[in-house]
Amino acid sequence: MERRSSSYSSIRGRLWATGKTNQGAEDPLQKAQEAMGKEWFAVTAFPLFAGTFGTIASALNVCALVGPWRCEVFHGTYDILHYVDDPSWLIGINACSIFFGIVANIAMLPVLGDGSNSLAKIGLTGLHLVWISIAGGFLASFILIALVVATAVDLQLPSPPARTFTQAYYFGIMAAVLYFVTSAFIVYTARMLRRSQQTKEQIRKQFAQGHRGLKLLTMLFMGYLLIGALVFSKIEGWGYLDAVFWADVTILTVGFGDFTPRTHLGRSLLFPYATFGIFILFLVIYAITNVVFERGKSTMEIRLRDKDRIRYVKKRDQSLSAENTQAKPDDTVPGSRESLANEEREARRRDFNTMNKIILRAARKRILYSMSAWMFFAFFLWLVGALVFYRAEKDQRWTYFQAVYFTFISILAIGYGDMTLQSMFGKAFFVLWSLIVVPTLTMLISTGTEAVGIPYMTGLKKWYKEKFHKLPQESRKHLSAGLVPIEQLPNNIHDKNHLLVQAIKRVAIDHIKNQANNTQKEYTFEDWEYIFYLMGVLEPLSDDRSVNNADGGNGEKGSPKLQRTGLDEWTDGGQILDWLHGKNPLNVSESLTEWVLLTLVEKLEAELLELRKELGNTANL
């Protein structure tokens, strides 16, 4: 998703810092958050599902084409089978469905990547390819559905009673379902993007960040699995679909032991095949984690943060309103200038600490919700998958508990081999089920790993370091430590620019350390006061001067008025920095060091530009 804010200037930060923003903007902010969530599904979740499972659907469709759809079973065992050849029209129409499915998958590649220039040369746009992908997916689905129905109704085998459909038939059913669902998701994505407030360039950049790479990795993985199955089926004399089942079990490291290489050549080729297959699988898992987990958590965390923040704002406003209502004019005792400034500063500090607590609480909630969701989905795959295998293996007289045991050792890749699948539907369904289980466990483990480290253990780790590993004093300096105290900050532009460069240097060092250690720098309340001074948020702007001096303060329009410095306004307590407002700097999606660094550089650039103008050097401006 697009970042919430790119710098201080982009959020009109000075209006926030001087208290000129109103809380009436919260309702549009809530609407924007809801739109952000919908756009996350449209730009990230649904294209991810369509990109990965669209490729899997084509792979399953290939499995549906290579084998007959019907067979006869003799003596009640699947070891003795007689396959019934399919009519030529069924094979030909099935091949057409594969063609449309492949076209649908290939059409999405330029859309998910940075292929705008190449598309323009041939007169196509991303929207054209999206519609091609939708049409191709639906056609492939409808063709397979028609073939499945025709096979079940018109191609029934004459007695003997022991007849069944093969793995290829069930692969065709699963491919039809996946084609339909992925195409429906792409329709939703196209509809949401047409209503999106993001520009086409922003949407294109979102798609280019991982979607295409994940789709290509999925295509590589499924192609590797299918080609490896073909090679080993020839070497070991297996049926091709049995070899697909073996390849899936091998690469996913389950290893039931019902199919094992017997030849010297097969065992020799297993070394490179399993090694590279597991490596490709890890790449796919990493891509899924990077695209879904890293993007989804920021979107969800911002929404939780804003919900909690708005609740605090309403509570604070109600409290202030009650105080103002109860106060009487006679009760008002004018305090000293210094006491008013201290009261303002302490009020800002309380809001600052509250905002930090909101951020930490939102991170905890997001981790809790994510873990709950992925754990529920994992249990769903475990128990519902067990129900499916229980029904599929009724000839083996499995109990439901045995099916639960089988799915458990399969999910955790234990694979004792004491229980194996024999039914056609069971083997076909296991291929698809296992491909869904792997990313689900990956997301669950990723969320659990983060929960252990951040933010639940943050307090304990901080206490441990302070108790047993005290850092040297110089390594724990704040941003403003060692620099000029804020009470003595200069008001001339040259000295301020020198301090600005010093601060940029320190923030740059913090940012580099954060990138290296994958940590987040936390700035204190005093640091932020210093940053605000360097940003110039306390300095009157030209448009503010024109407003304040419109009547000269004495009813004389345009009369001159002495401008007060930003530092004087600060010490008077006249600034209202609302840390609970939606556009405060803590409420950004990028790292704080990145935000502060970009903001300070923009400020320095603006100051140097003003100096150039004062010196008359306006070339190339």
Side-chain angles (χ1 to χ4, degrees):
M1 298 300 300
E2 185 184 11
R3 285 184 172 181
R4 186 182 182 86
S5 60
S6 57
S7 67
Y8 184 80
S9 60
S10 68
I11 63 172
R12 302 182 67 189
R14 186 177 184 277
L15 294 180
W16 161 77
T18 55
K20 293 182 180 180
T21 53
N22 52 30
Q23 292 298 330
E26 295 293 1
D27 290 337
L29 180 62
Q30 286 180 286
K31 294 180 180 179
Q33 293 302 330
E34 293 177 0
M36 182 186 298
K38 293 179 180 179
E39 288 183 1
W40 179 80
F41 279 101
V43 178
T44 300
F46 285 175
L48 170 70
F49 183 92
T52 53
F53 284 93
T55 303
I56 294 174
S58 294
L60 298 182
N61 202 354
V62 171
C63 294
L65 178 65
V66 297
W69 284 20
R70 300 163 298 165
C71 70
E72 298 176 349
V73 181
F74 294 94
H75 306 298
T77 174
Y78 286 92
D79 295 333
I80 304 176
L81 298 174
H82 175 258
Y83 289 97
V84 179
D85 294 334
D86 295 326
S88 57
W89 60 265
L90 189 149
I91 298 174
I93 297 176
N94 195 356
C96 292
S97 68
I98 291 181
F99 171 77
F100 288 122
I102 292 176
V103 169
N105 281 285
I106 294 178
M108 286 299 294
L109 282 176
V111 179
L112 299 179
D114 191 10
S116 55
N117 294 332
S118 58
L119 291 177
K121 293 179 181 179
I122 59 177
L124 290 176
T125 64
L127 185 60
H128 293 154
L129 293 181
V130 168
W131 286 115
I132 291 174
S133 179
I134 292 173
F138 278 129
L139 282 174
S141 177
F142 294 150
I143 289 173
L144 283 174
I145 292 173
L147 290 178
V148 167
V149 173
T151 302
V153 175
D154 297 332
L155 297 181
Q156 292 185 3
L157 294 174
S159 37
R163 59 181 183 272
T164 186
F165 295 111
T166 65
Q167 297 179 54
Y169 175 81
Y170 295 113
F171 278 129
I173 295 176
M174 291 184 288
V177 173
L178 289 181
Y179 276 138
F180 184 86
V181 174
T182 54
S183 298
F185 280 179
I186 297 175
V187 170
Y188 175 84
T189 296
R191 179 174 174 271
M192 288 301 301
L193 293 183
R194 288 188 63 182
R195 300 169 56 184
S196 173
Q197 296 181 355
Q198 297 189 60
T199 64
K200 292 182 179 180
E201 181 66 17
Q202 290 172 337
I203 294 172
R204 184 190 62 78
K205 289 181 179 179
Q206 294 294 329
F207 277 132
Q209 295 176 2
H211 291 77
R212 189 185 187 192
L214 178 57
K215 186 172 182 64
L216 289 174
L217 283 173
T218 306
M219 294 173 65
L220 175 63
F221 176 77
M222 296 307 299
Y224 187 84
L225 188 147
L226 295 181
I227 294 174
L230 177 62
V231 172
F232 279 90
S233 67
K234 298 297 182 182
I235 296 175
E236 299 295 333
W238 299 330
Y240 178 70
L241 297 184
D242 287 335
V244 169
F245 174 77
W246 169 86
D248 177 75
V249 169
T250 300
I251 295 178
L252 297 182
T253 68
V254 179
F256 292 126
D258 48 352
F259 291 94
T260 57
R262 301 292 183 181
T263 65
H264 180 77
L265 178 60
R267 291 176 175 176
S268 300
L269 290 178
L270 177 65
F271 298 141
Y273 181 73
T275 301
F276 285 108
I278 295 172
F279 176 73
I280 297 173
L281 177 63
F282 281 141
L283 291 180
V284 174
I285 291 174
Y286 173 78
I288 292 174
T289 306
N290 186 53
V291 174
V292 177
F293 190 71
E294 295 300 324
R295 298 187 196 177
K297 71 178 184 180
S298 61
T299 302
M300 183 178 180
E301 199 165 307
I302 287 175
R303 297 187 69 182
L304 292 172
R305 184 190 307 170
D306 281 335
K307 185 177 180 180
D308 204 9
R309 180 185 54 77
I310 292 172
R311 181 173 61 86
Y312 271 94
V313 168
K314 291 180 179 179
K315 182 179 179 181
R316 182 191 62 182
D317 291 348
Q318 290 175 357
S319 176
L320 291 176
S321 177
E323 290 178 4
N324 293 334
T325 303
Q326 295 174 0
K328 298 180 180 179
D330 296 340
D331 296 336
T332 304
V333 179
S336 64
R337 185 172 117 174
E338 183 178 355
S339 63
L340 290 176
N342 290 333
E343 289 179 6
E344 281 287 340
R345 193 164 186 262
E346 289 306 313
R348 293 194 299 268
R349 188 190 295 275
R350 285 195 299 270
D351 288 347
F352 176 83
N353 294 333
T354 299
M355 188 63 200
N356 278 319
K357 293 178 181 178
I358 290 173
I359 292 173
L360 183 60
R361 187 159 47 242
R364 289 173 175 173
K365 287 182 179 179
R366 189 261 308 165
I367 292 176
L368 177 61
Y369 294 161
S370 297
M371 283 197 65
S372 300
W374 289 115
M375 189 171 294
F376 171 80
F377 193 45
F379 272 89
F380 175 83
L381 290 175
W382 177 25
L383 300 179
V384 175
L387 179 63
V388 174
F389 291 118
Y390 163 69
R391 298 295 300 172
E393 300 299 321
K394 58 184 179 181
D395 290 343
Q396 296 193 67
R397 302 184 184 276
W398 279 10
T399 63
Y400 180 67
F401 176 79
Q402 288 177 311
V404 169
Y405 168 79
F406 170 80
T407 51
F408 180 80
I409 62 176
S410 300
I411 287 176
L412 297 185
I414 299 174
Y416 290 125
D418 51 344
M419 300 181 65
T420 57
L421 299 170
Q422 294 184 5
S423 67
M424 295 293 182
F425 176 70
K427 291 180 180 179
F429 180 75
F430 183 86
V431 174
L432 177 60
W433 178 80
S434 61
L435 293 176
I436 300 175
V437 165
V438 169
T440 301
L441 285 183
T442 301
M443 300 305 297
L444 179 60
I445 293 172
S446 298
T447 309
T449 302
E450 188 186 23
V452 173
I454 303 172
Y456 285 102
M457 299 296 292
T458 301
L460 181 60
K461 287 163 55 177
K462 185 180 295 185
W463 171 83
Y464 181 80
K465 287 182 179 180
E466 291 178 355
K467 188 73 174 178
F468 300 102
H469 296 280
K470 292 185 178 181
L471 299 176
Q473 186 66 28
E474 59 271 16
S475 65
R476 296 191 286 117
K477 286 183 178 179
H478 298 304
L479 174 67
S480 57
L483 301 180
V484 180
I486 191 169
E487 295 80 6
Q488 303 175 15
L489 287 173
N491 292 317
N492 66 81
I493 190 64
H494 299 288
D495 290 341
K496 284 184 63 176
N497 284 346
H498 180 250
L499 297 178
L500 188 60
V501 172
Q502 285 184 314
I504 291 175
K505 179 181 178 181
R506 290 197 173 187
V507 175
I509 294 174
D510 291 339
H511 185 65
I512 293 172
K513 290 181 178 179
N514 290 355
Q515 295 294 316
N517 301 328
N518 194 24
T519 57
Q520 176 69 284
K521 176 67 176 181
E522 295 182 2
Y523 290 117
T524 64
F525 179 75
E526 289 74 15
D527 290 337
W528 279 108
E529 285 188 329
Y530 190 78
I531 291 170
F532 289 147
Y533 176 78
L534 296 179
M535 288 177 181
V537 299
L538 305 179
E539 298 173 354
L541 297 179
S542 57
D543 55 347
D544 295 330
R545 285 196 294 267
S546 62
V547 172
N548 295 335
N549 297 337
D551 59 356
N554 300 315
E556 299 178 6
K557 186 175 182 179
S559 61
K561 180 181 178 181
L562 180 62
Q563 293 297 324
R564 302 172 65 200
T565 65
L567 190 58
D568 290 337
E569 292 182 348
W570 178 274
T571 54
D572 280 347
Q575 302 301 316
I576 311 172
L577 294 117
D578 189 358
W579 282 105
L580 294 180
H581 193 275
K583 291 185 176 181
N584 76 78
L586 295 180
N587 200 32
V588 295
S589 58
E590 60 265 37
S591 66
L592 288 180
T593 51
E594 179 184 353
W595 187 90
V596 173
L597 185 61
L598 178 60
T599 299
L600 294 180
V601 170
E602 286 182 352
K603 176 63 178 176
L604 180 60
E605 181 183 16
E607 295 290 350
L608 295 178
L609 181 61
E610 289 297 324
L611 288 177
R612 287 185 61 187
K613 291 180 179 179
E614 290 180 6
L615 296 175
N617 185 8
T618 59
N620 299 325
L621 293 181

